[in-house]
């Protein structure tokens, strides 16, 4: 099979370390011949992501805090002046305060709710607005979701509400950007032991529970998320937009 992303440039936001789903996606994109532009958040991530960028042979590694409009503006200006056309964007970013993933959902503060919505949902809208003018040949925008958007998952709480809004944002963005040949989708991944997941207590119990009940009787491999992101960004995905694709060993289908 020829490389699926040959001649395409992908902007990937949300690599924190090599366990990040965004890293598995970047790795798969690279394998398929894509040119990569990577972003990281804040000085703490700089060294790690620059090193991963070297491993992945990235064309560009830049800071970008998605809570700041001016950082997105600056990134867009850099890409414009480097005459980089974007064909794919991967948004793999979410945040919530730790107490909002442990206390009862009823106790969620206004500020914690808005923070989760800002970083986990509005950032997709802001990124899409920044990237769309650079996607002059059309393209694909992909974000990451989780089953907690549709079902009550203990402790997922404020993130579940944020993922529900994120999936709705995918549909509205797809409707807006479709006429320009830009597709917008989400991958709803099964739980994976990333840095974010490590913040969750009893995460190993969740992984075991899923592996026992999922149709494939195992957990999700980050490489499977990477390969689905390749499909969506490639010409093979040309008819798919406004969709949520589950890459979760089938767990979402189970009632009992
Ligand atoms: C965030 C965190 C977003 C963890 C996340 C996330 N999306 C998925 N996970 C993993 C997860 C978390 C819980 C869960 C199942 C999977 C933590 C930092 C904020 C953003 O509950 C069963 C709680």
């Amino acid at each position: 099979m020829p490389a699926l992303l040959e001649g395409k440039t992908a902007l990937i936001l949300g690599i924190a370390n090599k366990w990040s789903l965004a890293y598995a996606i970047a790795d798969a994109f690279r394998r398929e011949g894509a040119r990569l532009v990577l972003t990281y958040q804040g000085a703490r991530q700089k060294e790690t992501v620059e090193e991963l960028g070297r491993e992945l042979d990235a064309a560009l590694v830049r800071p970008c805090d998605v809570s700041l409009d001016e950082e997105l503006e600056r990134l867009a200006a850099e890409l414009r002046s480097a005459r980089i056309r974007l064909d794919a964007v991967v948004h793999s970013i979410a945040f919530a305060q730790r107490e909002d993933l442990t206390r009862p959902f009823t106790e969620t503060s206004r500020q914690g709710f808005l923070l989760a919505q800002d970083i986990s949902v509005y950032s997709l809208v802001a990124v899409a607005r920044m990237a769309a003018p650079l996607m002059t040949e059309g393209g694909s925008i992909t974000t990451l979701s989780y089953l907690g958007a549709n079902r009550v998952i203990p402790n997922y709480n404020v993130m579940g509400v944020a993922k529900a809004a994120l999936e709705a944002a995918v549909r509205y963005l797809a409707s807006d950007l479709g006429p320009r040949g830009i597709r917008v989708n989400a991958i709803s991944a099964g739980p994976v032991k990333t840095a974010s997941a490590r913040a969750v207590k009893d995460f190993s119990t969740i992984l075991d529970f899923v592996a026992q009940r999922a149709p494939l009787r195992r957990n999700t491999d980050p490489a499977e998320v990477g390969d689905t992101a390749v499909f969506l960004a490639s010409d093979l995905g040309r008819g798919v937009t406004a969709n949520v694709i589950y890459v979760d060993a089938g767990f979402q289908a189970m009632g009992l």
Side-chain angles (χ1 to χ4, degrees), residues 94-96 101 146 153-156 159 163 191 196-197 199-200 203 206:
F95 186 74
L101 301 176
Y146 178 60
I153 308 281
N155 298 323
Y156 201 62
M159 274 311 304
K163 291 302 192 185
S196 291
V200 177
F203 195 74
I206 295 165

Side-chain angles (χ1 to χ4, degrees), residues 21 93-98 100-102 116 119-120 144-148 152-160 163 189-203 206-207 210:
L21 288 175
I93 292 173
F95 186 74
Q97 294 174 151
R98 187 180 286 241
D100 289 328
L101 301 176
T102 51
I119 307 300
S120 313
L144 274 294
S145 193
Y146 178 60
L147 184 61
V152 173
I153 308 281
N155 298 323
Y156 201 62
N157 298 1
V158 76
M159 274 311 304
K163 291 302 192 185
V192 174
K193 206 158 199 158
T194 64
S196 291
R198 277 176 215 280
V200 177
K201 80 166 162 34
D202 298 331
F203 195 74
I206 295 165
L207 288 177
V210 168

Side-chain angles (χ1 to χ4, degrees), residues 87-90 135 138-142 181-185 229 232-234:
D87 304 290
V89 176
V90 174
M135 303 176 92
S140 158
I141 300 176
T142 303
I182 300 171
R183 298 178 290 105
V184 187
N185 294 286
L232 285 172
S234 77

Side-chain angles (χ1 to χ4, degrees), residues 127-231:
V127 165
R129 191 172 55 249
M130 173 278 276
L134 299 167
M135 303 176 92
T136 51
E137 304 284 296
S140 158
I141 300 176
T142 303
T143 188
L144 274 294
S145 193
Y146 178 60
L147 184 61
N150 317 94
R151 314 277 180 71
V152 173
I153 308 281
N155 298 323
Y156 201 62
N157 298 1
V158 76
M159 274 311 304
V161 177
K163 291 302 192 185
L166 180 72
E167 293 183 10
V170 161
R171 293 185 281 273
Y172 280 92
L173 289 169
S175 172
D176 265 12
L177 301 177
R180 294 150 75 171
I182 300 171
R183 298 178 290 105
V184 187
N185 294 286
I187 295 173
S188 185
V192 174
K193 206 158 199 158
T194 64
S196 291
R198 277 176 215 280
V200 177
K201 80 166 162 34
D202 298 331
F203 195 74
S204 299
T205 315
I206 295 165
L207 288 177
D208 292 343
F209 183 94
V210 168
Q212 281 169 29
R213 286 165 176 81
L216 296 180
R217 296 290 189 275
R218 59 172 178 78
N219 284 118
T220 299
D221 178 348
E224 297 166 347
V225 176
D227 287 349
T228 300
V230 165
F231 159 74

